[in-house]
Amino acid sequence: MAEPEFTATGVRIGKRMRSLTRAGQVRINDGRLELLTSYGSEIDSAPVQAVRASKPWFASEDRALADLNGNRYLLRLGENDPAPGEPGPPAARRFIEAVRRAAGRGG
């Protein structure tokens, strides 16, 4: 199995005003974006070409939006990238760049 192109753990994933998980996972692997609970159960997934990732204009630096399968998810990632070798979720900016890169839309 190939190494995931992007992985973030400890991500708060919400849909509308409802929190789906407070310590979820976001992965881009084999051309698919996967949103997972802290237990590894799938919340949603879609081919990365069908995903729209963006930065909400009204939110802080640690948040990103992911539109997949007609659903909009608010992801709360880390505000700053962790230091090399340190645990912690990467910044939302890196997530958005990873989606664009995996979909072939540049980064």
Side-chain angles (χ1 to χ4, degrees), residues 6-39:
F6 177 88
T7 303
T9 58
V11 179
R12 182 174 289 226
I13 302 172
K15 184 175 169 185
R16 299 193 186 263
M17 297 300 287
R18 191 174 78 141
S19 177
L20 301 175
T21 183
R22 294 188 325 178
Q25 301 174 38
V26 176
R27 274 197 314 223
I28 297 175
N29 193 20
D30 292 332
R32 289 190 72 77
L33 172 69
E34 302 170 329
L35 303 178
L36 307 169
T37 67
S38 55
Y39 298 108

Side-chain angles (χ1 to χ4, degrees), residues 28-74:
I28 297 175
N29 193 20
D30 292 332
R32 289 190 72 77
L33 172 69
E34 302 170 329
L35 303 178
L36 307 169
T37 67
S38 55
Y39 298 108
S41 300
E42 185 176 293
I43 295 170
D44 207 345
S45 71
V48 77
Q49 289 85 4
V51 174
R52 199 174 110 222
S54 60
K55 174 87 183 79
W57 62 270
F58 58 86
S60 61
E61 288 297 313
D62 65 342
R63 294 195 170 101
L65 292 173
D67 293 315
L68 54 151
N69 298 325
N71 297 309
R72 175 171 284 177
Y73 297 94
L74 179 62

